[in-house]
Amino acid sequence: MSKIFVLFFLLFFFSSCGTKRQYFQPDNVELRLSYDSTLKSSIKFSSDNFLVLKNGEVFDENGLIQNFKLEKNFNIIKHDNEELVIADELGNLKILDQNSQELYSYKFKAAVLSVALSGDDLALVLADNTMVFANRSLGIKFSQTLTAAPAQDSRVASPLFLTNILVFPSLDGKLNILDLATLKITRSVIISNGEFFNNIIYLKIIQDKMIAASPNRVVVVDGNENFSLIEEIRSVLVSDENIFIFAKNGNIIKADFKLNKLLEKKFKFAVYNESDIFNEHLYVFEKTGYLIKSDLNLENVKVYKLSSAVDEDAFMRGGKFYYSNKILNLL
């Protein structure tokens, strides 16, 4: 019996060792692109909305945030109406003006993952899956801790302030509706109910439609109608008319706001890191160092090789692609 066990173990071991990861290999590659300018420092980290350099400088969709450097051990989580929100892993949160003068600070019971601002009001999602509604002068007005979410995507969507309600995207895959008059949760909409990685990674209002996404589902709420599309998702990009879904299997899906699939393009083994729409073209950075460019119908595709962009933290906004210590102007 022991010999049979050893034989099966060896077969499994060597078959596992023989399995190689497969990488994106485009059929046709344009000439290598050369960067247009350089950053003052290399990249420390990037998120969906910000790029942070090792020297503390921060870029958003409008480029460099002037006269601002990020404090050590803090992350930037919001830049809104000339106010910057930064937070650390200990629950400390600060709101600063454009000259880095402190306007507000508070220590929450867990790290702040996302925030929305409305005048003096704040809505926050904490790392222990707590929803918080607070006021800079009056303190915490509402707080509720939901089911623990031990495994989550690093991207956490910000809450949404609407006319009479506040929408909290929780880490356990729900949209929770807080009535601002009664300060009670009136409804919870399940976006994702998988065992792991359920948190909402995208939440926006576009053309009176609420669009939400988790790592495995996209949902559109349009009045009394709900539309849903199940897909293993790396990221979502929304234009004025369409939703682009970047799937983990290498597919790029173009859908309408009812989540009907209009077009689908397969890039075998592609792993998508960054994407943006600029000058009526879709730009996508594939993590092994390729920049994919197409029109918005996923046609006229061109693939460019980028030197020194492999597995790098990167950021693509406002017609510019930032990687390593370089800036590439999108074509």
Side-chain angles (χ1 to χ4, degrees), residues 209 220 222 225 227-228 243 255-261:
K209 300 170 180 63
V220 175
D222 185 4
E225 293 186 290
F227 307 96
S228 177
I243 301 172
D256 61 21
F257 285 156
K258 292 186 178 181
L259 291 176
N260 298 306
K261 290 185 179 181

Side-chain angles (χ1 to χ4, degrees), residues 291-304:
L291 181 67
I292 302 169
K293 175 186 177 182
S294 77
D295 60 29
L296 298 185
N297 288 321
L298 304 181
E299 298 175 347
N300 301 314
V301 176
K302 292 185 177 181
V303 180
Y304 300 90

Side-chain angles (χ1 to χ4, degrees), residues 173-177 187-192 210 219 221 226:
K174 299 184 182 73
L175 297 179
N176 304 278
I177 313 301
R187 186 183 176 196
S188 292
V189 180
I190 297 175
I191 302 298
S192 178
M210 185 164 63
V219 172
V221 180
N226 294 346

